[in-house]
Amino acid sequence: MTENHDGNRSIWRFFDGAVSISISMLVAVLVNDCALCGQLPALGWLKGLTEREDGIIIVATLLLFPTTAALYGGFKVFFAAKEAVEKRARAKGKAEGKAEGRKEERERIRRELAAQGMPLTPEQVAILTRESE
């Protein structure tokens, strides 16, 4: 069974863009209110821009691409990790299911042979009591 995540991806693309804009605007406001930012080279330049007319909008726009890149990378890493964990869990469940099915089938064979009064050889007992192949 394959899962289709295209609907989820389009929703996250929308939220990714909205979050990027919101975070870049928040950073611009924080730079504007930061007293120590004026003493740092890059942040001082951005703080100077925020003090102009429409400066916060200008700084938010300048920060939009780096914010989007950071969030996109962060989301990409998060969803890749989530997919890896889910894939590992599915594989583990599948392996456990096979082992359980094998154990149940061996027990069924043992019961059937015992019901028919057929004695098991030591080799057959060893095969039927093995945990895995």
Side-chain angles (χ1 to χ4, degrees):
M1 178 166 98
T2 60
E3 296 179 23
N4 187 355
H5 296 293
D6 290 338
N8 291 341
R9 286 187 181 147
S10 63
I11 291 169
W12 278 109
R13 284 183 187 139
F14 169 76
F15 284 115
D16 185 28
V19 169
S20 296
I21 292 169
S22 298
I23 290 179
S24 68
M25 193 59 122
L26 175 65
V27 171
V29 169
L30 292 174
V31 167
N32 184 48
D33 292 342
C34 177
L36 298 175
C37 291
Q39 299 170 358
L40 300 171
L43 290 177
W45 180 71
L46 288 175
K47 182 165 177 57
L49 284 177
T50 63
E51 293 169 355
R52 294 181 179 183
E53 185 177 337
D54 296 329
I56 291 179
I57 301 283
I58 293 167
V59 171
T61 304
L62 287 172
L63 294 174
L64 186 56
F65 179 73
T67 303
T68 303
L71 286 176
Y72 178 74
F75 282 136
K76 199 82 156 153
V77 168
F78 173 78
F79 285 114
K82 180 179 179 273
E83 185 176 333
V85 167
E86 289 172 349
K87 186 177 180 180
R88 192 174 308 131
R90 282 191 304 270
K92 182 179 178 185
K94 189 176 181 180
E96 288 174 356
K98 282 183 179 181
E100 185 65 28
R102 192 175 295 123
K103 183 178 177 183
E104 289 173 4
E105 182 62 14
R106 288 176 178 171
E107 184 59 36
R108 186 191 68 77
I109 291 169
R110 190 174 321 149
R111 281 193 316 266
E112 283 292 320
L113 291 173
Q116 293 178 12
M118 299 178 73
L120 296 174
T121 66
E123 293 84 16
Q124 290 171 331
V125 171
I127 290 171
L128 292 174
T129 57
R130 255 190 280 181
E131 286 296 319
S132 64
E133 295 180 356

